Amino acid sequence: MSTSPPVPQKDLDAGPHAMHPDLMADPFGGYGRLRERAPVVHGRYLDGTPAWFVTRHDDVRALLHDRRLVNAPASVPGAGDDDPRLKMMDMLAIPDELRPYLLGSMLDTDPPEHTRLRKRVLREFTARRVMDMRPRIEKIAGRLLDGLPGHTVDGGADLLAHYAYPLSIQVICDLVGVPGADSDKWQQWGEDLIAMRPERLATSFPAMIEHTHRLIGRRRADLGDDLLSGLIRGQGESEGGISDVELVTFVVTLVLAGHETTAHLISNGTAALLSHPAQLDHLRSHPEAMPGAVHELMRWCGPVQTSRLRYAAEDMEIAGTRIPRGDAVLLVFVSANFDPRRYTDPDRLDLTRHPPGQAENHLGFGHGIHYCLGASLARLEAEIAFGALLDRYPRIRLALAPAELERRERMRLPGQWRLTRLPVVLGPTAGTAPDR
């Protein structure tokens, strides 16, 4: 899958840095070489924080369940006030009064706080609520596909901008209870946060927090049947209620994480399918294989490639390497998902790799207590998005050769796998005679 030059061996010998340009350009090859060199390698995270990179599937999966690894540095016994995450806040110029909204999410808390928050949210974010959204998702996808030809420029349409992004942001806004008119704002705020550029975050992050507080106030005065209304109703409970700050943090986390990752799963997955004609033909002739195909696409080209930093709450050993208490650990999903110890021919895209009825056979959504809260919604959106797209435009193709698409449109971001655009030639719609 790698199309970039290999990471220089001298850089690997000195220890990997998550911001190294070659690791960002070719995480599959770079982290794969680290995985084959050793299961645990000492390196540095985005801001230079020393961290242990864990690269092999079985180790990563086991550690996702290991309560000795915590998400908040303060959960380490004997930890002082030195929180490595504050370096990132400093780097991004996040004001002190707004930092709790980033540091207090379920992604950054540990039991018992994490247990309380997740339990309360799961009472509203049910499998039934997700499945009930299928007709709405199908309707949004159909409307966006109707409009795609109108976005054609020089023979190609940008599927990321005009299908994957608007589909994912509208679905998550509907689920949470964010007015559809605000979806463009949330998409822009998400792009600013992902870009990690302080000059953009200086205005967008405070605006997002203020906007969410106002949204909660409006929803409290006019409760509906959305997720946010359900959480507001539960605020008065003596046990398990969540504060307004926690509610804002949850909305921000869910909307931003929910639409960003799903949009890039759809765009990465579409690019992969259109680059592998035999696999695409199999999916067209076996539409019942779509759920397994989504799992394989999440393994092969998922948008999230590493965990957040976790911290050893006590001295521990990982694959024969001693990890002192308090040290940071980075779990590398991209190398784990391509580990030949776990997968046969892991570099090959194989849409039959995940048979129906088997447990989830990849780490794209994580595992353990921090397993992705919106995984079921992301899978449903992807299944509908791929199926509807291929049905409507059966002769769709990439507007660029796959290697050229990677060279020109692949973003170079640490721990992420994203395109800037996905230009495609739609071709005739189903039931339309092809051009001659």
Side-chain angles (χ1 to χ4, degrees), residues 109-302:
T109 55
D110 299 295
E113 282 302 290
H114 175 269
T115 306
R116 175 181 65 84
L117 291 171
R118 190 173 179 100
K119 181 178 179 181
R120 183 65 192 86
V121 168
L122 285 174
R123 283 175 50 185
E124 305 297 334
F125 200 162
T126 62
R128 170 64 65 184
R129 186 186 289 273
V130 170
M131 292 309 299
D132 284 349
M133 293 196 70
R134 177 179 282 275
R136 174 61 176 156
I137 298 171
E138 291 173 340
K139 183 176 180 180
I140 295 172
R143 177 171 50 78
L144 293 171
L145 291 172
D146 288 343
L148 270 182
H151 296 291
T152 300
V153 177
D154 296 329
D158 182 358
L159 207 69
L160 177 59
H162 301 298
Y163 185 55
Y165 256 134
L167 174 65
S168 61
I169 189 64
Q170 289 174 38
V171 169
I172 199 68
C173 284
D174 278 0
L175 172 73
V176 175
V178 174
D182 294 338
S183 61
D184 287 345
K185 293 190 184 78
W186 282 96
Q187 183 172 327
Q188 183 60 57
W189 290 332
E191 291 173 4
D192 291 348
L193 194 61
I194 290 297
M196 295 192 298
R197 290 171 55 181
E199 68 275 13
R200 288 165 62 176
L201 284 174
T203 55
S204 64
F205 191 63
M208 179 173 58
I209 298 302
E210 182 181 355
H211 174 89
T212 308
H213 273 290
R214 291 200 303 268
L215 170 64
I216 291 170
R218 293 196 303 269
R219 183 62 71 241
R220 183 173 283 126
D222 184 20
L223 293 173
D225 59 358
D226 50 76
L227 184 61
L228 179 55
S229 293
L231 292 171
I232 290 172
R233 289 187 181 96
Q235 282 191 297
E237 297 176 357
S238 57
E239 294 184 7
I242 58 179
S243 68
D244 271 8
V245 170
E246 290 170 334
L247 196 52
V248 170
T249 300
F250 170 71
V251 171
V252 168
T253 302
L254 183 61
V255 174
L256 295 188
H259 92 267
E260 278 283 340
T261 54
T262 303
H264 288 283
L265 170 59
I266 293 170
S267 60
N268 286 346
T270 301
L273 290 172
L274 298 182
S275 302
H276 293 78
Q279 295 295 310
L280 180 58
D281 288 346
H282 172 81
L283 190 58
R284 288 188 190 280
S285 59
H286 297 85
E288 73 280 2
M290 184 63 79
V294 170
H295 279 300
E296 174 67 351
L297 292 167
M298 192 65 182
R299 179 196 74 87
W300 199 78
C301 57

Side-chain angles (χ1 to χ4, degrees), residues 245-385:
V245 170
E246 290 170 334
L247 196 52
V248 170
T249 300
F250 170 71
V251 171
V252 168
T253 302
L254 183 61
V255 174
L256 295 188
H259 92 267
E260 278 283 340
T261 54
T262 303
H264 288 283
L265 170 59
I266 293 170
S267 60
N268 286 346
T270 301
L273 290 172
L274 298 182
S275 302
H276 293 78
Q279 295 295 310
L280 180 58
D281 288 346
H282 172 81
L283 190 58
R284 288 188 190 280
S285 59
H286 297 85
E288 73 280 2
M290 184 63 79
V294 170
H295 279 300
E296 174 67 351
L297 292 167
M298 192 65 182
R299 179 196 74 87
W300 199 78
C301 57
V304 179
Q305 299 200 320
T306 68
S307 71
R308 305 162 81 86
L309 281 186
R310 299 192 177 190
Y311 304 88
E314 60 184 67
D315 291 345
M316 58 188 298
E317 185 176 290
I318 301 174
T321 299
R322 179 181 177 274
I323 310 296
R325 184 183 69 183
D327 275 17
V329 176
L330 185 71
L331 306 178
V332 185
F333 301 141
V334 63
S335 60
N337 278 330
F338 281 75
D339 190 346
R341 299 160 189 79
R342 180 67 180 84
Y343 305 101
T344 301
D345 197 7
D347 291 339
R348 180 170 60 91
L349 179 67
D350 178 5
L351 301 187
T352 67
R353 194 185 296 272
H354 307 272
Q358 281 195 358
E360 192 167 292
N361 188 25
H362 60 85
L363 299 176
F365 292 115
H367 250 281
I369 64 171
H370 289 282
Y371 179 77
C372 177
L373 190 69
S376 60
L377 179 61
R379 290 194 300 267
L380 180 62
E381 285 183 68
E383 290 175 23
I384 292 171

